[in-house]
Amino acid sequence: MSKLKLKSDENLNAAQLLINNQKYNSSVHCSYYGCFQFMKSILCNNLKIGYDLQDTKKGSDTHDYIFGLLLHTMDNFSMQRKFRSNFSGLKEKRKRADYENALIDITDSLNAIEEARIIMSNLKQAFGPLNI
């Protein structure tokens, strides 16, 4: 199994443990990064866009770059719309959890892990199961 996929699984498991222990801000962070690591794994293993190429955009927003690569590779408009909406929501929650002077509550925390799971499921639908 790819190391990044292992990290993705670990982050999603950590997100659930953090939710169970009422650590909602940290759980959102883990949900987001578990999903993001899965996105990078799909690009590398299913679409053959290696990690070196994915990481060339360090000067700009790498996360938007990875998102854009996946979005523009999808050939289903409905799937693109779902992916855009779910990822934007998850990214916004992560920004609030990590950078804003606000606390995340249980609802946002549960929504974040669900959005991460939906994104991952949609990516599997669009590109097949992770080829590792």
Side-chain angles (χ1 to χ4, degrees), residues 69-132:
L69 284 173
L70 284 166
L71 182 69
H72 298 300
T73 309
M74 291 179 180
D75 56 6
N76 181 310
F77 180 73
S78 175
M79 190 69 69
Q80 285 180 334
R81 194 173 64 247
K82 289 178 193 176
F83 179 55
R84 179 182 289 118
S85 174
N86 287 318
F87 186 73
S88 295
L90 181 57
K91 188 174 182 181
E92 180 58 36
K93 285 176 188 65
R94 198 254 324 160
K95 285 181 179 178
R96 270 190 301 149
D98 286 350
Y99 304 120
E100 292 181 11
N101 186 26
L103 294 175
I104 297 293
D105 62 16
I106 188 170
T107 301
D108 280 339
S109 182
L110 290 170
N111 285 343
I113 198 168
E114 182 63 20
E115 283 171 335
R117 290 179 176 142
I118 289 169
I119 290 166
M120 293 166 72
S121 176
N122 287 341
L123 291 174
K124 288 175 190 172
Q125 262 187 293
F127 302 111
L130 191 57
N131 291 332
I132 51 175

Side-chain angles (χ1 to χ4, degrees), residues 19-59:
I19 290 168
N20 295 347
N21 288 285
Q22 301 175 354
K23 306 297 183 194
Y24 304 125
N25 289 289
S26 298
S27 76
V28 170
H29 179 91
C30 289
S31 292
Y32 176 85
Y33 278 99
C35 180
F36 184 72
Q37 290 157 338
F38 184 83
M39 290 165 56
K40 287 180 62 87
S41 295
I42 285 283
L43 281 170
C44 183
N45 296 290
N46 290 44
L47 299 174
K48 306 304 179 204
I49 301 172
Y51 297 122
D52 289 343
L53 182 59
Q54 292 179 40
D55 294 339
T56 59
K57 292 292 181 186
K58 289 191 190 252

